[in-house]
């Protein structure tokens, strides 16, 4: 299935596969375009919206009965796009200095320790997963695409998108309510960060809400009297 037939008018818009593919394609296109920009003020709210909408598709996949692929082994989807690293770097630059955040992977694991993550890594990983399924969809392997999107929703891109959504929402909440970002005590995703004298990359953890609001182009919300 080519790009030209991805949204073929002959396809039933009420079909589950068509709707999921539309949402996946919309996210890939929109977020890839955001990465090309240089305005975090519009990028962060827009990313919040796009990730929220993607998770709606994920919720539908998660609530759907188990999708069973037609073939025992996955058909080769072809080479993966080679622009993922560039995409990751663009987001890292765009979201600096608030790219790094803290996350607990599984809330049902007792005494889980928060770990540092990056929104830029999350977005690149999500797009990689979604593109893999889209390659199957475009080739006409609809069930294979749906199986992959459902499987990877549970195993990778779903938890990753949920974590990124919380980070984006929290970041905007800090800015809009003029709440300072607390010291993150050297939080970083690099293995050698423990010897970094407590300095987060670009001192992201020390940036106060009023200091990043201006570069992000956002106006804080004043308390109602």
């Amino acid at each position: 299935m080519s790009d030209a037939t991805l949204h073929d008018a002959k396809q039933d818009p009420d079909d589950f596969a068509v709707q999921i593919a539309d949402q996946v394609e919309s996210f890939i296109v929109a977020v890839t375009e955001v990465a090309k920009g240089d305005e975090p003020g519009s990028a962060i709210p827009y990313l919040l919206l796009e990730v929220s909408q993607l998770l709606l598709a994920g919720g539908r996949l998660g609530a759907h009965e188990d999708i069973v692929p037609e073939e025992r082994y996955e058909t080769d989807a072809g080479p993966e796009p080679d622009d993922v690293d560039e995409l990751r770097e663009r987001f890292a630059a765009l979201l600096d200095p608030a790219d790094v955040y803290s996350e607990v992977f599984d809330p049902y694991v007792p005494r889980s320790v928060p770990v540092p993550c990056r929104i830029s890594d999350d977005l690149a990983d999500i797009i990689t997963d979604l593109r893999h399924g889209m390659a199957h969809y475009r080739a006409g392997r609809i069930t294979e695409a749906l199986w992959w999107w459902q499987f990877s929703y549970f195993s990778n891109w779903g938890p990753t998108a949920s974590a990124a959504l919380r980070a984006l929402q929290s970041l905007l909440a800090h800015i809009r309510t003029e709440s300072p970002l607390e010291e993150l005590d050297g939080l970083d995703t690099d293995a050698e960060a423990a010897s970094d004298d407590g300095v987060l990359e670009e001192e992201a953890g020390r940036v106060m809400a009023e200091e990043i609001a201006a570069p992000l182009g956002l106006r804080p919300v004043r308390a109602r009297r």
Side-chain angles (χ1 to χ4, degrees):
M1 183 175 294
S2 66
D3 290 341
T5 60
L6 178 59
H7 307 291
D8 196 318
K10 295 180 181 179
Q11 294 179 332
D12 183 356
D14 294 326
D15 183 79
F16 179 75
V18 173
Q19 293 177 353
I20 296 298
D22 280 346
Q23 289 178 283
V24 167
E25 179 73 0
S26 175
F27 179 85
I28 293 173
V29 171
V31 174
T32 301
E33 286 300 311
V34 171
K36 298 177 181 178
D38 57 1
E39 294 293 336
S42 59
I44 292 179
Y46 197 64
L47 288 172
L48 178 69
L49 176 62
E50 290 299 324
V51 174
S52 298
Q53 292 177 333
L54 176 66
L55 282 170
L56 173 59
R60 296 183 66 194
L61 286 164
H64 196 282
E65 62 183 8
D66 288 347
I67 299 169
V68 180
E70 298 171 353
E71 302 292 335
R72 182 176 180 181
Y73 299 102
E74 182 182 2
T75 304
D76 185 2
E80 299 288 347
D82 58 4
D83 64 339
V84 175
D85 287 339
E86 179 183 355
L87 194 69
R88 192 188 317 272
E89 292 171 1
R90 283 180 174 272
F91 276 126
L94 182 63
L95 299 172
D96 180 72
D99 190 24
V100 181
Y101 68 97
S102 180
E103 168 65 4
V104 174
F105 282 119
D106 190 338
Y108 284 98
V109 174
R111 295 177 295 280
S112 295
V113 177
V115 296
C117 301
R118 292 181 184 273
I119 300 175
S120 56
D121 288 341
D122 292 344
L123 295 172
D125 290 347
I126 293 167
I127 287 180
T128 297
D129 275 348
L130 298 180
R131 282 176 170 176
H132 185 84
M134 187 58 70
H136 286 304
Y137 188 87
R138 287 175 174 150
R141 297 185 291 270
I142 309 302
T143 303
E144 188 76 41
L146 289 174
W147 170 81
W148 172 258
W149 285 327
Q150 185 186 61
F151 167 76
S152 56
Y153 167 74
F154 285 120
S155 63
N156 188 45
W157 73 260
T160 301
S162 296
L165 180 67
R166 287 194 295 273
L168 290 165
Q169 191 276 337
S170 179
L171 174 60
L172 287 180
H174 277 292
I175 296 169
R176 298 283 175 84
T177 62
E178 297 184 292
S179 300
L181 295 174
E182 296 181 359
E183 173 65 50
L184 299 182
D185 297 325
L187 176 66
D188 204 343
T189 56
D190 296 329
E192 64 271 22
S195 61
D196 197 24
D197 295 329
V199 178
L200 177 65
E201 180 176 323
E202 299 296 332
E203 298 183 343
R206 302 186 184 193
V207 178
M208 304 296 282
E210 59 268 24
E211 293 175 345
I212 63 176
L216 293 180
L218 298 172
R219 296 178 60 187
V221 176
R222 302 295 181 182
R224 296 181 64 181
R225 299 181 183 278

